[in-house]
Amino acid sequence: MTDALKRLSEEGVAIWLDDLSRKRITSGNLAELIDQQHVVGVTTNPSIFQKAISSGDGYEQQVTDLAARKVTVDEAIRMITTADVRDAADILRPVFDASGGQDGRVSIEVDPRLAHETTATVAEAKQLAWLVDRPNTLIKIPATKAGLPAITEVIGHGISVNVTLIFSLERYREVMDAYLAGLEKAKAKGIDLAGIHSVASFFVSRVDTEIDKRLTALGTDEALALKGKAALANARLAYQAYEEVFSSDRWAALEKAGANKQRPLWASTGVKDPAYKDTLYVDDLVAPNTVNTMPEATLLATEDHGQITGNTIAGTYEQARAELDAVEKLGISYDDVVQLLEDEGVQKFEESWIDLLKSTEAELQRLAPSEG
């Protein structure tokens, strides 16, 4: 074992686990990861909950009680998922307190079927914050066009937000703008900005998956030489955008009022292509004030053989821009790729949520008390 996770933390990268289940909570596994693997946060998404709840481990008693109360399947899912998030938040509370509210956080996503509905997303975010009722929660809102004004509104209510499904540099700038606008709204209402936190989840591996597929189809030496480079280049340019926005005069005024920077969070950091090292999106995205949320396999791989060599983003912007430009010159449209990935991301989470509805409905029926 290496001290790679410790070194990663020391470089200013917060290590969050991209997974949650009741078994992970009740077995003590989550507490162990916090204690031994430097984990300081947890992210969830509809796919993670679908997998956890469908496995059945630890949920039967609660589902039996919910069936006896004849609750709707939508209400059942919210009761189950918020219970897990609340328990995880309690386990992470010491980290939250020790970090002044920056870490020790658990994310829970609004219903993905609302991704293109601003008003409903705001209402759902407020409801989730109320249901979980823990200060160390982040409400996840997708960075769709409809999600942007919702982010501003929710931040304006003083609710901390994890903005998810960011693929493009342009959309990321819009997300940061939405965050600053939300802080300005909160400030105007007299809300203490120091209590509002946010991360912007910039997705990594899926960019390589899609662009590599197109490069392989082209098949030229020039195209093949660019494989495995676009995702890192995209993320590094996102960090450049973060540095620009959070050194602006607009930001300075908010910082003076006690506001916290919205940290870039590297999401989708599990490597999909076995040709690449399995810690690629950890080792090569090290920079201060970032978060890397890892599936457990990536976390353990990093612990075992990660190569943390200091800041691997500083000084890369020119090369990153050249690599994305080279991909574009081959006729692969960046705008087309990032829009496709956003659409697919929303769709995948929606499909997972619908699968979760179906499997939970079946369990509610199976465990319903017989009449009489």
Side-chain angles (χ1 to χ4, degrees), residues 118-141:
T118 303
T119 306
T121 293
V122 173
E124 170 99 342
K126 287 157 72 177
Q127 168 78 352
L128 282 174
W130 176 83
L131 264 178
V132 177
D133 193 27
R134 294 294 184 273
N136 51 330
T137 312
L138 289 170
I139 307 302
K140 284 180 95 170
I141 298 175

Side-chain angles (χ1 to χ4, degrees), residues 211-290:
I211 288 182
D212 281 1
K213 186 169 74 179
R214 300 183 187 205
L215 290 167
T216 302
L218 289 173
T220 63
D221 289 348
E222 190 184 3
L224 298 177
L226 287 166
K227 284 181 69 176
K229 293 186 174 172
L232 288 175
N234 200 36
R236 286 165 170 174
L237 291 173
Y239 192 79
Q240 181 186 31
Y242 156 79
E243 287 185 316
E244 285 172 13
V245 170
F246 289 99
S247 59
S248 66
D249 291 343
R250 184 186 182 192
W251 166 249
L254 288 163
E255 190 172 37
K256 201 173 172 186
N260 301 290
K261 289 178 179 175
Q262 182 187 55
R263 288 183 292 171
L265 177 150
W266 311 126
S268 180
T269 55
V271 173
K272 309 280 196 290
D273 189 333
Y276 305 149
K277 60 179 178 176
D278 54 3
T279 59
L280 177 68
Y281 305 125
V282 180
D283 297 353
D284 289 14
L285 288 175
V286 177
N289 214 33
T290 57

Side-chain angles (χ1 to χ4, degrees), residues 1 40 54 71 79 92 109 115 135 173 178 190-191 207 240 243 253 255 315 321-322 330 332 362 365:
M1 290 293 177
V40 293
S54 300
V71 303
M79 292 297 105
L92 278 155
E109 189 150 343
R173 286 184 182 274
I191 295 170
V207 174
Q240 181 186 31
E243 287 185 316
E255 190 172 37
R321 174 46 61 202
L330 291 173
I332 296 170
Q365 287 173 359

Side-chain angles (χ1 to χ4, degrees), residues 8-81:
L8 193 59
S9 300
E10 288 167 351
E11 289 292 338
V13 180
I15 299 166
W16 291 8
L17 177 71
D18 192 27
D19 191 49
L20 187 63
S21 66
R22 192 153 298 177
K23 187 177 182 183
R24 204 181 273 289
I25 292 164
T26 56
S27 67
N29 172 262
L30 178 58
E32 191 177 283
L33 289 171
I34 295 162
D35 186 48
Q36 296 176 20
Q37 270 86 16
H38 305 274
V39 168
V40 293
V42 167
T43 50
T44 68
N45 63 44
S47 301
I48 284 169
F49 277 130
Q50 193 268 331
K51 185 179 161 196
I53 296 167
S54 300
S55 76
D57 257 348
Y59 295 98
E60 191 157 288
Q61 185 55 59
Q62 188 180 9
V63 177
T64 301
D65 291 345
L66 291 166
R69 288 174 49 216
K70 298 185 170 64
V71 303
T72 65
V73 66
D74 285 86
E75 187 185 347
I77 287 170
R78 276 310 180 207
M79 292 297 105
I80 294 164
T81 57

